[in-house]
Amino acid sequence: LFWILRGRTRKPGEPPLVKGWIPFIGKALDFGKDAHKFLEEHRRKHGDVFTVQIAGKFMTFIMDPLLYPSIIKQGRQLDFHEFTDKVAPLTFGYPPVLGTTFPGLWEQIKRSFQLLQGDHLAPLTESMMGNLMLVFRQDHLNGAGDWRRGSLYEFCCSVMFEATFLTIYGRPVTGIRHGGMDRLRDDFHKFDNMFPFLIAQIPIWLLGRTLAIRQKLISYFLPQHMSQWTNNSQFIRRRAELFEQQDKLKDVDKAAHHFAILWASVGNTLPATFWAAYFLVSQVEALKVVRQEIVDVLRDSGVDFSTSSDVMLSKEQLDKLIFLESAISESLRLSSASMNIRVAQEDFSLRLDSNRSVGVRKGDVIALYPQSLHLDPEVYEDPQTFRFDRFVQDGREKTDFSKDGQKLRYYLMPFGSGSSMCPGRYFAINEIKQFVCLLLLYFDLQLEDGQNRPGLDPSRAGLGILLPSSDVRFRYRLRSV
Ligand code: HEM
């Protein structure tokens, strides 16, 4: 018992070890409260590399971004997929994919991610534009030019959820919009609120109605329902084909895989869209510059914008929106808190730089926590301030950020890194750009008085873009152009 309670002790060559006073749980509670603050305090005490016991796992944090490249390029001894194949099935409710039950499926799923990128991005982007325009036109562009009131997060979520859904999964054969979208989104948010607990591997039966809600969400994607949809993305078509080839995959498992993609495609995009819109609307100067940039790009391609007609922005036009892209990067910098995780496959000595290594043990988690980099005043001056043009230099994208006089290879990491990097990142940036373009082109926008900048809800720390801790009231009216 003594040895169990005493637990692990630090060996020579290993990083400083931080254990809590509760065996097993360790420092999980402190970490969960404010991960960024927790890690900064330990960095001050222990230096740039230290190991913390969190919920039964030993996690070695690498805090110096100059050391990130050596972790990201380590492939063989540090694995990511073993971790996702354990956690994602428990969270979304499908059987693990690695192993011999579903031969070749893992590799094929990985390959399907290419359908979100490269040449496939243009048709996806075009389809998203049409769907955004459809939802804007039918739900928000249908009145006279009076001021209307709304809640910005709710506004962003309702438009982006539906337009993304239509783009990825298609529309009903019998119409142009799905019925019951609000209910689906409502269930999605209920599931999403429980997402951190599921990722932490808390059994779903301990989480109230979460299992029933997940079953309802999954059943939405059963083959008999999806066969009633048309115009879906090549990405989803390909995945559906792959699942058909697997005899042992039940219909409900196929549906659970499709549901997982729903989470991946909107779970981060909804809050990211909110933050981009919020920061722009909260700064008159930023809004003016970005709106003018959009109008100029349209004019350069021969379009004189007017709110009475629909607008299309192609992938090429979106690529030219340097200030908008910078504003989105800046809002991602301020709101993202994803953790990059690798699991040590054996006991070994992890090389950090040319003269430093640390010992890690098989099963230990090596973690990068880029929020610390994003809020580091040595890298980003005045890091809590939103500067819409922070990522622009001499009329082009700024990529030159440094620490301790050395240029950083990784300075903005909302989408993860290396082998676990988000395959939907280009699509995500494009759809956020498209949404903001429509918002700024069609509406005059104002925040209602007396509201502070909303805080970041810490419950998703480590998992992606943080949600606002409260919604923001705003006013909007059709512009007179
Ligand atoms: C994975 C972020 C939008 C599809 C990831 C990961 C991050 C991330 C950090 C890696 C997870 C990890 O390392 O554990 C984001 C952010 C988004 C976004 C910040 C929006 C602002 C999207 C969109 C799609 C998508 C729009 C699809 C349409 C995926 C998929 C994975 C993933 C399929 C899993 C990749 C794998 O298993 O290797 N995302 N994502 N994401 N993302 Fe995104």
Side-chain angles (χ1 to χ4, degrees):
L1 182 69
F2 169 76
W3 284 108
I4 293 173
L5 287 178
R6 188 168 166 233
R8 169 163 161 168
T9 49
R10 183 182 177 192
K11 289 187 195 160
E14 287 185 345
L17 177 63
V18 183
K19 295 189 289 188
W21 56 272
I22 313 173
F24 190 75
I25 290 185
K27 288 285 184 184
L29 301 176
D30 296 344
F31 183 82
K33 244 183 270 160
D34 187 339
H36 173 58
K37 190 164 149 236
F38 173 87
L39 292 172
E40 283 308 313
E41 277 168 14
H42 282 83
R43 184 224 290 260
R44 275 195 291 277
K45 237 188 272 171
H46 302 291
D48 279 326
V49 182
F50 49 85
T51 303
V52 190
Q53 184 181 19
I54 295 178
K57 288 249 168 286
F58 287 92
M59 304 186 69
T60 296
F61 287 92
I62 312 292
M63 299 296 290
D64 180 355
L66 289 164
L67 303 179
Y68 282 10
S70 57
I71 307 299
I72 291 167
K73 71 169 189 254
Q74 288 262 358
R76 199 170 54 82
Q77 290 150 316
L78 290 180
D79 185 69
F80 164 73
H81 299 119
E82 187 193 299
F83 171 76
T84 36
D85 198 44
K86 191 161 164 219
V87 175
L90 285 173
T91 304
F92 298 109
Y94 54 75
V97 179
L98 282 171
T100 50
T101 317
F102 305 108
L105 183 58
W106 178 266
E107 292 73 19
Q108 288 168 323
I109 284 181
K110 281 272 159 196
R111 235 172 285 137
S112 75
F113 293 155
Q114 288 166 9
L115 299 174
L116 294 168
Q117 307 176 0
D119 291 346
H120 306 283
L121 193 58
L124 264 182
T125 304
E126 193 183 321
S127 165
M128 182 71 191
M129 190 77 224
N131 289 321
L132 274 171
M133 199 64 243
L134 169 77
V135 178
F136 260 90
R137 175 71 56 209
Q138 294 197 350
D139 290 357
H140 299 292
L141 296 176
N142 48 2
D146 304 327
W147 282 106
R148 281 182 254 180
R149 292 190 145 77
S151 299
L152 190 57
Y153 184 56
E154 161 67 25
F155 184 99
C156 296
C157 286
S158 71
V159 175
M160 283 299 268
F161 185 90
E162 181 169 354
T164 308
F165 189 97
L166 288 166
T167 304
I168 304 269
Y169 299 99
R171 60 176 170 80
V173 178
T174 50
I176 46 171
R177 294 174 76 174
H178 295 269
M181 263 293 135
D182 286 347
R183 238 175 306 123
L184 180 71
R185 183 162 57 87
D186 204 39
D187 285 334
F188 174 83
H189 284 308
K190 286 184 188 145
F191 173 83
D192 192 34
N193 287 338
M194 291 296 155
F195 184 76
F197 299 105
L198 291 166
I199 292 284
Q201 300 175 50
I202 309 281
I204 195 163
W205 51 268
L206 286 177
L207 301 175
R209 288 190 21 80
T210 310
L211 179 60
I213 291 166
R214 188 175 75 182
Q215 278 165 342
K216 203 166 141 205
L217 286 162
I218 289 174
S219 69
Y220 206 87
F221 296 93
L222 284 168
Q224 64 264 35
H225 294 153
M226 288 183 69
S227 65
Q228 303 299 309
W229 304 346
T230 180
N231 267 41
N232 51 7
S233 61
Q234 210 190 335
F235 175 56
I236 285 300
R237 275 204 301 281
R238 176 75 192 126
R239 289 172 61 91
E241 278 165 25
L242 296 178
F243 302 151
E244 281 314 311
Q245 291 160 12
Q246 297 286 337
D247 301 338
K248 292 198 186 130
L249 207 59
K250 298 198 292 277
D251 279 357
V252 67
D253 302 333
K254 295 171 193 166
H257 273 285
H258 289 306
F259 164 58
I261 289 298
L262 175 69
W263 192 88
S265 63
V266 294
N268 286 306
T269 312
L270 301 184
T273 305
F274 163 80
W275 288 113
Y278 169 76
F279 282 123
L280 281 173
V281 177
S282 67
Q283 282 194 5
V284 178
E285 176 60 19
L287 188 136
K288 216 170 105 194
V289 172
V290 171
R291 181 182 276 148
Q292 193 56 49
E293 179 183 54
I294 303 165
V295 171
D296 290 348
V297 163
L298 282 171
R299 187 166 303 137
D300 289 350
S301 37
V303 179
D304 245 333
F305 175 75
S306 144
T307 54
S308 57
S309 51
D310 286 1
V311 72
M312 269 306 283
L313 279 145
S314 66
K315 183 183 160 299
E316 285 68 34
Q317 286 166 320
L318 295 173
D319 288 344
K320 292 186 187 143
L321 299 169
I322 310 285
F323 282 103
L324 175 55
E325 177 134 355
S326 169
I328 293 172
S329 297
E330 177 69 342
S331 57
L332 290 171
R333 180 184 73 77
L334 284 165
S335 62
S336 98
S338 64
M339 179 148 61
N340 295 210
I341 278 180
R342 302 288 185 271
V343 183
Q345 300 299 295
E346 57 196 30
D347 292 0
F348 75 105
S349 172
L350 174 64
R351 189 154 204 83
L352 297 175
D353 56 26
S354 53
N355 48 27
R356 201 156 46 129
S357 305
V358 286
V360 293
R361 302 186 200 177
K362 183 174 176 176
D364 282 0
V365 173
I366 314 299
L368 310 180
Y369 201 73
Q371 193 185 22
S372 304
L373 153 68
H374 296 161
L375 300 179
D376 184 341
E378 274 187 63
V379 181
Y380 294 105
E381 191 191 73
D382 203 359
Q384 290 293 346
T385 302
F386 174 82
R387 290 189 188 163
F388 77 99
D389 55 355
R390 203 187 279 272
F391 293 88
V392 179
Q393 192 170 39
D394 304 329
R396 304 166 67 154
E397 184 190 351
K398 176 174 158 73
T399 55
D400 193 2
F401 293 89
S402 14
K403 186 175 167 77
D404 297 341
Q406 292 183 59
K407 189 170 182 246
L408 285 168
R409 172 127 175 243
Y410 297 97
Y411 53 87
L412 185 65
M413 299 170 68
F415 295 107
S417 57
S419 58
S420 66
M421 198 153 182
C422 172
R425 59 195 180 278
Y426 304 109
F427 175 61
I429 295 289
N430 277 357
E431 58 175 343
I432 298 172
K433 276 186 178 171
Q434 290 170 322
F435 174 89
V436 174
C437 284
L438 294 186
L439 194 70
L440 268 50
L441 283 172
Y442 285 96
F443 297 120
D444 289 320
L445 298 147
Q446 289 173 0
L447 298 181
E448 292 204 3
D449 292 339
Q451 302 178 93
N452 293 328
R453 173 166 148 186
L456 297 166
D457 172 356
S459 61
R460 289 256 287 266
L463 302 177
I465 306 296
L466 300 181
L467 274 53
S469 53
S470 57
D471 209 335
V472 170
R473 292 182 311 283
F474 79 119
R475 307 195 307 151
Y476 59 108
R477 82 172 167 199
L478 204 61
R479 290 174 68 219
S480 51
V481 282

